[in-house]
Amino acid sequence: MMQLFLDTTDTAVLTDLAKTGLVDGVTTNPSLIAKSGRNMLEVIAEICGIVEGPVSAEVAAMDVDGMLAEGRKLAGIAPNVVVKLPLTKAGLIAAGEFSREGISTNVTLCFSATQALMAAKAGATYISPFIGRLDDHGFNGMDLISEIRAIYDNYGFDTEILAASIRSIGHVKEAALAGADCATIPPDVFNGLFKHPLTDKGLEQFTKDWAGTGQSIL
Ligand code: G3P
């Protein structure tokens, strides 16, 4: 099943959307923590109390020892924390160590298929290719999802492809068609996933016609 995550640190918005039962997890990053204006450890703990699924929390350190120390602390917040690591040599070394320790990881800032291959070999739980940012720079972000899908399937890697930097409903559709395991979606795009102007128009007509019958079901 394709999993849909919310890319947010806004706990009010998350609480509201979680009621749909369609939010499988949450991703955060340092920019979203900054946007929240809140203490990272507190926000992550609160998010983990709202959703049962995976909650990605990103390390700030650049070196392996720092990543390991921060990652272990983040993982200690709740059992559903996923340690988010940058796609650097240090990040992959840390991903390998966390894999051996049984701590889930999300390797982020992936912009190439070979980076994704390295992350899978390191034992990453999730790989996060950034679709929108590739599109911003004149590349086709969705091609990257397709390439990673083919490479992972060729070798049976079980690292999950988490389409990130999603900017539109079309991105979600294309990621699903390309076989992404998950997509992390900003709240406004998530809200748009179940909307269509023809649904609204059709419902308006049905409501009008129903009122005209004078009937009541109950
Ligand atoms: O969490 C990473 C990601 O989804 C970033 O998205 O829109 O800042 O490129 P964006």
Side-chain angles (χ1 to χ4, degrees):
M1 190 203 39
M2 190 188 194
Q3 300 168 79
L4 300 181
F5 298 161
L6 268 187
D7 200 23
T8 191
T9 47
D10 187 329
T11 52
V13 166
L14 173 61
T15 301
D16 181 51
L17 281 173
K19 289 179 194 151
T20 62
L22 299 169
V23 178
D24 299 306
V26 173
T27 55
T28 67
N29 61 40
S31 303
L32 289 170
I33 296 290
K35 194 174 159 194
S36 76
R38 298 182 54 190
N39 175 276
M40 177 184 183
L41 302 182
E42 287 174 17
V43 179
I44 297 296
E46 191 178 333
I47 292 172
C48 289
I50 300 169
V51 293
E52 286 178 15
V55 175
S56 289
E58 187 159 343
V59 300
M62 299 287 182
D63 63 301
V64 177
D65 288 345
M67 287 178 184
L68 292 176
E70 290 181 359
R72 288 184 188 119
K73 182 165 180 178
L74 293 170
I77 295 174
N80 52 336
V81 166
V82 173
V83 177
K84 204 169 175 187
L85 300 160
L87 211 159
T88 58
K89 187 161 71 173
L92 295 184
I93 293 169
E97 180 54 30
F98 283 131
S99 170
R100 286 184 286 278
E101 291 179 20
I103 291 175
S104 298
T105 55
N106 174 0
V107 175
T108 189
L109 290 167
C110 171
F111 294 94
S112 79
T114 50
Q115 284 184 312
L117 173 62
M118 294 298 107
K121 283 177 68 70
T125 314
Y126 300 94
I127 182 71
S128 287
F130 275 34
I131 306 312
R133 292 192 196 185
L134 277 167
D135 288 355
D136 290 346
H137 285 80
F139 299 94
N140 183 338
M142 216 49 69
D143 287 349
L144 178 57
I145 300 283
S146 301
E147 288 173 1
I148 299 172
R149 179 75 282 152
I151 290 168
Y152 283 8
D153 289 350
N154 278 349
Y155 298 100
F157 286 119
D158 55 14
T159 298
E160 295 193 39
I161 303 171
L162 202 181
S165 188
I166 291 273
R167 305 274 175 75
S168 65
I169 295 166
H171 272 161
V172 178
K173 180 180 92 171
E174 289 170 39
L177 285 170
D181 298 289
C182 341
T184 187
I185 306 166
D188 55 338
V189 176
F190 195 99
N191 269 311
L193 290 175
F194 37 77
K195 284 189 186 152
H196 196 285
L198 289 178
T199 303
D200 295 341
K201 195 174 171 222
L203 194 54
E204 199 182 317
Q205 185 66 49
F206 286 161
T207 305
K208 199 174 147 209
D209 292 345
W210 176 250
T213 69
Q215 297 182 44
S216 162
I217 295 173
L218 294 179

PDB file of all heavy atoms in Angstrom, residues 7 27-29 32 84 108 130 133 164-167 184, ligand 1:
ATOM      1  N   ASP A   7       4.231  16.328   5.707  1.00  0.00           N
ATOM      2  CA  ASP A   7       5.516  17.009   5.848  1.00  0.00           C
ATOM      3  C   ASP A   7       5.237  18.290   6.632  1.00  0.00           C
ATOM      4  O   ASP A   7       5.006  19.347   6.046  1.00  0.00           O
ATOM      5  CB  ASP A   7       6.042  17.324   4.431  1.00  0.00           C
ATOM      6  CG  ASP A   7       7.535  17.573   4.368  1.00  0.00           C
ATOM      7  OD1 ASP A   7       8.256  17.113   5.270  1.00  0.00           O
ATOM      8  OD2 ASP A   7       7.982  18.217   3.402  1.00  0.00           O
ATOM      9  N   THR A  27       6.899  13.595   8.420  1.00  0.00           N
ATOM     10  CA  THR A  27       8.316  13.924   8.260  1.00  0.00           C
ATOM     11  C   THR A  27       8.530  15.372   8.688  1.00  0.00           C
ATOM     12  O   THR A  27       7.635  16.206   8.547  1.00  0.00           O
ATOM     13  CB  THR A  27       8.805  13.760   6.801  1.00  0.00           C
ATOM     14  OG1 THR A  27       7.969  14.536   5.944  1.00  0.00           O
ATOM     15  CG2 THR A  27       8.765  12.302   6.357  1.00  0.00           C
ATOM     16  N   THR A  28       9.700  15.630   9.231  1.00  0.00           N
ATOM     17  CA  THR A  28      10.080  16.993   9.607  1.00  0.00           C
ATOM     18  C   THR A  28      11.493  17.225   9.095  1.00  0.00           C
ATOM     19  O   THR A  28      12.167  16.281   8.658  1.00  0.00           O
ATOM     20  CB  THR A  28      10.055  17.189  11.142  1.00  0.00           C
ATOM     21  OG1 THR A  28      11.095  16.381  11.739  1.00  0.00           O
ATOM     22  CG2 THR A  28       8.711  16.794  11.744  1.00  0.00           C
ATOM     23  N   ASN A  29      11.908  18.460   9.115  1.00  0.00           N
ATOM     24  CA  ASN A  29      13.300  18.788   8.783  1.00  0.00           C
ATOM     25  C   ASN A  29      13.666  20.043   9.565  1.00  0.00           C
ATOM     26  O   ASN A  29      12.789  20.673  10.175  1.00  0.00           O
ATOM     27  CB  ASN A  29      13.488  18.937   7.259  1.00  0.00           C
ATOM     28  CG  ASN A  29      12.650  20.057   6.665  1.00  0.00           C
ATOM     29  OD1 ASN A  29      12.506  21.126   7.262  1.00  0.00           O
ATOM     30  ND2 ASN A  29      12.083  19.829   5.487  1.00  0.00           N
ATOM     31  N   LEU A  32      11.479  23.074   8.880  1.00  0.00           N
ATOM     32  CA  LEU A  32      10.119  22.998   9.437  1.00  0.00           C
ATOM     33  C   LEU A  32      10.133  23.195  10.954  1.00  0.00           C
ATOM     34  O   LEU A  32       9.206  23.773  11.525  1.00  0.00           O
ATOM     35  CB  LEU A  32       9.471  21.650   9.076  1.00  0.00           C
ATOM     36  CG  LEU A  32       9.094  21.473   7.598  1.00  0.00           C
ATOM     37  CD1 LEU A  32       8.692  20.028   7.297  1.00  0.00           C
ATOM     38  CD2 LEU A  32       7.962  22.427   7.214  1.00  0.00           C
ATOM     39  N   LYS A  84      16.471  10.862  10.754  1.00  0.00           N
ATOM     40  CA  LYS A  84      16.689  11.376   9.404  1.00  0.00           C
ATOM     41  C   LYS A  84      18.134  11.855   9.292  1.00  0.00           C
ATOM     42  O   LYS A  84      18.614  12.636  10.117  1.00  0.00           O
ATOM     43  CB  LYS A  84      15.706  12.521   9.150  1.00  0.00           C
ATOM     44  CG  LYS A  84      15.395  12.783   7.701  1.00  0.00           C
ATOM     45  CD  LYS A  84      14.215  13.758   7.600  1.00  0.00           C
ATOM     46  CE  LYS A  84      13.936  14.160   6.171  1.00  0.00           C
ATOM     47  NZ  LYS A  84      12.913  15.205   6.084  1.00  0.00           N
ATOM     48  N   THR A 108      18.006  11.560   3.658  1.00  0.00           N
ATOM     49  CA  THR A 108      17.347  12.672   2.984  1.00  0.00           C
ATOM     50  C   THR A 108      18.291  13.450   2.068  1.00  0.00           C
ATOM     51  O   THR A 108      19.497  13.195   2.053  1.00  0.00           O
ATOM     52  CB  THR A 108      16.724  13.606   4.048  1.00  0.00           C
ATOM     53  OG1 THR A 108      15.901  14.579   3.406  1.00  0.00           O
ATOM     54  CG2 THR A 108      17.789  14.322   4.868  1.00  0.00           C
ATOM     55  N   PHE A 130      14.162  14.235  -3.574  1.00  0.00           N
ATOM     56  CA  PHE A 130      13.478  15.535  -3.520  1.00  0.00           C
ATOM     57  C   PHE A 130      12.979  15.928  -4.908  1.00  0.00           C
ATOM     58  O   PHE A 130      13.707  16.520  -5.712  1.00  0.00           O
ATOM     59  CB  PHE A 130      14.436  16.607  -2.983  1.00  0.00           C
ATOM     60  CG  PHE A 130      14.500  16.698  -1.483  1.00  0.00           C
ATOM     61  CD1 PHE A 130      14.376  15.574  -0.684  1.00  0.00           C
ATOM     62  CD2 PHE A 130      14.697  17.929  -0.867  1.00  0.00           C
ATOM     63  CE1 PHE A 130      14.429  15.661   0.703  1.00  0.00           C
ATOM     64  CE2 PHE A 130      14.760  18.033   0.517  1.00  0.00           C
ATOM     65  CZ  PHE A 130      14.631  16.910   1.312  1.00  0.00           C
ATOM     66  N   ARG A 133      12.472  20.056  -5.744  1.00  0.00           N
ATOM     67  CA  ARG A 133      13.729  20.822  -5.878  1.00  0.00           C
ATOM     68  C   ARG A 133      14.462  20.454  -7.170  1.00  0.00           C
ATOM     69  O   ARG A 133      15.144  21.290  -7.751  1.00  0.00           O
ATOM     70  CB  ARG A 133      14.619  20.602  -4.651  1.00  0.00           C
ATOM     71  CG  ARG A 133      14.013  21.213  -3.406  1.00  0.00           C
ATOM     72  CD  ARG A 133      14.963  21.284  -2.239  1.00  0.00           C
ATOM     73  NE  ARG A 133      14.208  21.510  -1.012  1.00  0.00           N
ATOM     74  CZ  ARG A 133      14.741  21.713   0.167  1.00  0.00           C
ATOM     75  NH1 ARG A 133      16.062  21.721   0.316  1.00  0.00           N
ATOM     76  NH2 ARG A 133      13.986  21.907   1.226  1.00  0.00           N
ATOM     77  N   ALA A 164       9.759  12.964  -1.680  1.00  0.00           N
ATOM     78  CA  ALA A 164       9.736  14.170  -0.843  1.00  0.00           C
ATOM     79  C   ALA A 164       9.817  15.408  -1.718  1.00  0.00           C
ATOM     80  O   ALA A 164       9.972  15.311  -2.933  1.00  0.00           O
ATOM     81  CB  ALA A 164      10.894  14.138   0.147  1.00  0.00           C
ATOM     82  N   SER A 165       9.700  16.564  -1.054  1.00  0.00           N
ATOM     83  CA  SER A 165       9.663  17.842  -1.785  1.00  0.00           C
ATOM     84  C   SER A 165       8.527  17.793  -2.814  1.00  0.00           C
ATOM     85  O   SER A 165       8.677  18.180  -3.958  1.00  0.00           O
ATOM     86  CB  SER A 165      11.018  18.108  -2.459  1.00  0.00           C
ATOM     87  OG  SER A 165      11.082  19.392  -3.018  1.00  0.00           O
ATOM     88  N   ILE A 166       7.395  17.303  -2.346  1.00  0.00           N
ATOM     89  CA  ILE A 166       6.175  17.219  -3.158  1.00  0.00           C
ATOM     90  C   ILE A 166       5.515  18.591  -3.146  1.00  0.00           C
ATOM     91  O   ILE A 166       5.359  19.189  -2.082  1.00  0.00           O
ATOM     92  CB  ILE A 166       5.219  16.163  -2.539  1.00  0.00           C
ATOM     93  CG1 ILE A 166       5.795  14.759  -2.693  1.00  0.00           C
ATOM     94  CG2 ILE A 166       3.815  16.298  -3.096  1.00  0.00           C
ATOM     95  CD1 ILE A 166       5.484  14.058  -3.965  1.00  0.00           C
ATOM     96  N   ARG A 167       5.150  19.080  -4.304  1.00  0.00           N
ATOM     97  CA  ARG A 167       4.597  20.439  -4.371  1.00  0.00           C
ATOM     98  C   ARG A 167       3.162  20.489  -4.900  1.00  0.00           C
ATOM     99  O   ARG A 167       2.547  21.548  -4.869  1.00  0.00           O
ATOM    100  CB  ARG A 167       5.469  21.296  -5.291  1.00  0.00           C
ATOM    101  CG  ARG A 167       6.937  21.337  -4.914  1.00  0.00           C
ATOM    102  CD  ARG A 167       7.228  22.404  -3.882  1.00  0.00           C
ATOM    103  NE  ARG A 167       8.604  22.353  -3.437  1.00  0.00           N
ATOM    104  CZ  ARG A 167       9.643  22.786  -4.144  1.00  0.00           C
ATOM    105  NH1 ARG A 167       9.464  23.294  -5.332  1.00  0.00           N
ATOM    106  NH2 ARG A 167      10.863  22.702  -3.644  1.00  0.00           N
ATOM    107  N   THR A 184       5.737  12.153   1.080  1.00  0.00           N
ATOM    108  CA  THR A 184       5.502  13.069   2.185  1.00  0.00           C
ATOM    109  C   THR A 184       5.011  14.383   1.603  1.00  0.00           C
ATOM    110  O   THR A 184       5.603  14.928   0.674  1.00  0.00           O
ATOM    111  CB  THR A 184       6.725  13.226   3.107  1.00  0.00           C
ATOM    112  OG1 THR A 184       6.299  14.010   4.231  1.00  0.00           O
ATOM    113  CG2 THR A 184       7.935  13.850   2.431  1.00  0.00           C
TER     114      THR A 184
HETATM  115  O1  G3P B   1      11.150  17.195   4.165  1.00  0.00           O
HETATM  116  C1  G3P B   1      11.826  17.416   2.992  1.00  0.00           C
HETATM  117  C2  G3P B   1      11.012  18.069   1.917  1.00  0.00           C
HETATM  118  O2  G3P B   1       9.823  17.459   1.674  1.00  0.00           O
HETATM  119  C3  G3P B   1      11.276  19.440   1.501  1.00  0.00           C
HETATM  120  O3  G3P B   1      10.366  20.005   0.615  1.00  0.00           O
HETATM  121  O4  G3P B   1       9.337  21.897  -0.574  1.00  0.00           O
HETATM  122  O5  G3P B   1      11.242  22.306   1.006  1.00  0.00           O
HETATM  123  O6  G3P B   1      11.638  21.213  -1.177  1.00  0.00           O
HETATM  124  P1  G3P B   1      10.661  21.428  -0.063  1.00  0.00           P
END
